Amino acid sequence: MACPARRPHRRRVGALMALRPHIPFDPRETVLSYTARVALIHTGTGIDRLLPDVGLRIEDLVLGKLDALEIFANRVGVQVSDLARSNLQAVGKDVLFRDEPCQWSFIARGADRYCPCCLAEDGGPRGWKQRLLWCFAPVKRCAQHGVWLEHLPEKPRTLQEGLMSVEDIAPPRPAAGVTPSYLTWLEARLHGTAEDSPWLATQGLQQILDAALMLGVVLEEGHRVAPKILPQDRYEAAVEAGFKVYAKGRQSVIKALDLIRDTSPAQAAQAGPLAKYGKLYDWLDRQCDGRDPGPIRDILRDHIIEHDVLDIGDKVLGQEIEFRRFHSVQSLGETLGRKTVQMARILKKLGRIPADASAEDWSQIRFDAEEIATLVADFENAIPLEDLADYIGASFSQARALYSEGILKPLIPADAPGAIRNVVFARRTLDGFLARIAALPVADGKDLHPISYVCQRKAGTTPEIIRGVMTGELPAFRNPKATGLASVVMPVNEVLAIRAA
């Protein structure tokens, strides 16, 4: 019996050995770019044909899965470590590049940009390489040819897929100026030739370039301009300006924050950090999506705490304020239960604000919270005029006389009668006055009489007598059975003699 005709066996490409001819991998390109070149040379079509032939699910390599990468490296005869350095792995909402999580908006896995000059040098679809450098959002020009990168209308997986569906490759558009320093640095960093300072070496690519972008946008464009609305030349200029600041280190960033704060259109001490630092603060406060933006956040937080009027419990970039460092006129008024205008008037009388300062002037003034804490405590524990007599152990008329003659000074000095509606006295000032009375020697049984009797004997007024007692000019003792001014007793005849001399 004749044997049945055997069907021709179609051997899967690379099932038993590495693909031949061998296609070298260019470390400047992405893994998908290399895959597309290999596919076009070996199959004449795209990656959808090649990957199943070498035993891979298309999605696995497109997503950059590491096990798929290893299988692919073996099939094409390339070291997996070489491919790994150009691999863009999808991990949830991030793209993992060299163990660094990056946002999709920062680094693209697809091939949506290209340099016309580079593709012309590559020599056709089989040689087209999507440069790794083009995947980064801050890269707007080709560093080699000085032309703007062109955008594909869609976001294909490979340049071959995207460009073979369009009629013509766009002509080169020269980019003005020299190649930005951040672009030169990024290229060197990608290929391991950058001589980074310890400051940059410990930070990721997105941390550095995002911080550079946001610093530069505020410095170059103002506090309210969002980077996404900028044309590519101004976007590039912003990144370059920010990178020149950021690359120099922490102190350079702090100086830039000083400038950003000083040039803010909102100069009131009570203005918030969003007004003072603009889009830079907005980015760090609301747009990082739980990501670590690097040291820029801590630097800005420290700068805000160092300069802004913040209350205990306020949160600044995720950190709660544990103690107040500064007061504004408004916050001090709120603390003391005074209206802002009234607080300003009080501070003027205390000499804390220039007497001729306008509302616009004093709204920009801040006070060291520790330094002004005494004033705050004095107000919170103040003794009103109507309680003065009871507090110092005097009669109503004695207390009023001591106040009128300046022996007991009110917390807010009055430049005219009735200038201050609610006259109050600092408790510590009154306690100091009472402490001096308490330090008088205890009465020893002499012919001693209270101040009111001494005044009746024409030795002087209460303020005059008290001045003499406080200076030591007039002899005085303390009756331990009384307190305050009521405890002061004096030898009348001695006092009369001294006053008559």
Side-chain angles (χ1 to χ4, degrees):
M1 184 172 65
C3 294
R6 299 181 62 184
R7 296 180 180 178
H9 175 69
R10 177 174 175 268
R11 182 171 62 87
R12 295 178 65 188
V13 178
L16 300 176
M17 62 186 70
L19 295 177
R20 293 289 183 270
H22 172 68
I23 310 300
F25 172 68
D26 187 339
R28 297 177 301 165
E29 67 180 325
T30 67
V31 171
L32 283 180
S33 169
Y34 176 61
T35 306
R37 291 197 298 118
V38 172
L40 200 57
I41 292 171
H42 280 279
T43 70
T45 60
I47 63 176
D48 291 344
R49 166 75 183 276
L50 174 71
L51 295 181
D53 278 358
V54 297
L56 283 173
R57 293 176 67 243
I58 298 170
E59 296 81 2
D60 289 346
L61 193 66
V62 170
L63 294 175
K65 292 185 177 180
L66 299 183
D67 54 351
L69 194 69
E70 185 172 1
I71 294 172
F72 181 69
N74 291 333
R75 295 293 188 266
V76 296
V78 174
Q79 292 292 326
V80 68
S81 58
D82 292 340
L83 293 182
R85 290 186 58 78
S86 293
N87 190 46
L88 300 171
Q89 183 183 3
V91 180
K93 295 182 178 180
D94 288 334
V95 176
L96 198 62
F97 175 68
R98 298 181 183 177
D99 296 325
E100 178 189 345
C102 299
Q103 290 176 303
W104 294 67
S105 58
F106 176 75
I107 188 169
R109 291 190 304 108
D112 65 335
R113 289 185 293 172
Y114 65 93
C115 167
C117 298
C118 286
L119 296 192
E121 291 178 357
D122 290 343
R126 290 189 173 199
W128 286 344
K129 300 171 188 175
Q130 181 200 2
R131 274 55 168 181
L132 185 61
L133 192 65
W134 301 344
C135 297
F136 294 87
V139 178
K140 303 298 183 182
R141 73 167 73 192
C142 174
Q144 181 180 355
H145 297 104
V147 298
W148 296 117
L149 297 181
E150 299 299 330
H151 285 257
L152 289 166
E154 303 294 335
K155 291 187 177 181
R157 296 172 298 181
T158 68
L159 285 175
Q160 284 76 1
E161 291 178 353
L163 289 172
M164 293 178 74
S165 63
V166 299
E167 293 184 1
D168 295 303
I169 294 177
R173 293 180 298 122
V178 299
T179 301
S181 62
Y182 79 86
L183 196 53
T184 304
W185 167 83
L186 176 58
E187 190 167 29
R189 175 87 169 240
L190 291 177
H191 301 302
T193 59
E195 297 181 1
D196 281 348
S197 64
W199 162 257
L200 291 182
T202 56
Q203 299 179 54
L205 291 173
Q206 183 166 4
Q207 290 177 333
I208 294 169
L209 293 176
D210 275 0
L213 169 63
M214 298 312 300
L215 276 171
V217 164
V218 180
L219 288 169
E220 294 292 302
E221 301 287 341
H223 291 62
R224 299 177 181 176
V225 177
K228 63 182 179 182
I229 70 170
L230 294 176
Q232 58 188 3
D233 55 340
R234 287 165 59 188
Y235 182 102
E236 183 186 74
V239 180
E240 177 69 353
F243 182 77
K244 286 182 176 179
V245 168
Y246 196 77
K248 293 177 182 177
R250 181 179 296 269
Q251 291 305 315
S252 177
V253 174
I254 292 173
K255 288 182 179 179
L257 295 179
D258 290 340
L259 178 59
I260 288 172
R261 186 181 181 88
D262 290 343
T263 55
S264 168
Q267 288 299 318
Q270 204 64 29
L274 179 60
K276 292 292 180 67
Y277 302 93
K279 290 296 182 179
L280 174 63
Y281 176 83
D282 184 54
W283 165 59
L284 289 171
D285 187 47
R286 297 189 299 177
Q287 298 179 25
C288 284
D289 296 330
R291 300 176 53 79
D292 177 12
I296 183 68
R297 178 161 55 193
D298 292 336
I299 296 173
L300 179 57
R301 183 192 297 114
D302 291 344
H303 201 268
I304 292 170
I305 293 173
E306 181 69 25
H307 293 85
D308 272 12
V309 177
L310 301 168
D311 201 357
I312 296 172
D314 287 347
K315 279 193 174 182
V316 179
L317 298 177
Q319 189 175 93
E320 190 170 294
I321 300 300
E322 297 180 354
F323 62 94
R324 179 185 280 279
R325 298 189 61 172
F326 299 103
H327 267 299
S328 66
V329 176
Q330 179 180 336
S331 69
L332 192 57
E334 291 170 353
T335 299
L336 302 177
R338 307 271 178 155
K339 293 182 179 180
T340 304
V341 174
Q342 183 186 22
M343 192 73 249
R345 190 181 303 120
I346 291 171
L347 291 169
K348 286 182 179 181
K349 290 183 178 295
L350 291 172
R352 300 289 185 137
I353 293 178
D356 59 350
S358 65
E360 183 178 354
D361 293 334
W362 53 251
S363 69
Q364 300 178 32
I365 297 175
R366 62 177 186 165
F367 308 93
D368 184 280
E370 185 175 350
E371 178 185 336
I372 210 164
T374 300
L375 175 64
V376 174
D378 285 346
F379 267 105
E380 290 177 338
N381 302 309
I383 303 299
L385 178 60
E386 55 268 27
D387 295 337
L388 178 63
D390 289 341
Y391 194 83
I392 65 173
S395 67
F396 178 82
S397 60
Q398 285 176 325
R400 289 297 177 123
L402 293 175
Y403 158 56
S404 299
E405 293 299 320
I407 303 296
L408 298 178
K409 298 183 182 296
L411 185 55
I412 307 170
D415 50 14
I420 303 298
R421 291 184 179 180
N422 300 313
V423 177
V424 295
F425 298 83
R427 189 182 296 264
R428 63 184 177 87
T429 302
L430 300 182
D431 289 346
F433 173 76
L434 293 174
R436 297 183 68 177
I437 292 176
L440 294 173
V442 178
D444 58 3
K446 294 181 180 179
D447 185 20
L448 302 173
H449 296 275
I451 291 176
S452 57
Y453 181 78
V454 176
C455 292
Q456 289 175 6
R457 294 289 303 273
K458 308 298 183 182
T461 64
T462 296
E464 291 171 341
I465 298 299
I466 288 300
R467 280 196 181 96
V469 171
M470 293 301 175
T471 60
E473 178 187 354
L474 299 177
F477 300 87
R478 177 174 58 85
N479 178 5
K481 296 182 180 181
T483 59
L485 201 66
S487 70
V488 178
V489 289
M490 308 176 73
V492 177
N493 292 333
E494 289 184 41
V495 171
L496 288 171
I498 293 172
R499 293 285 291 168

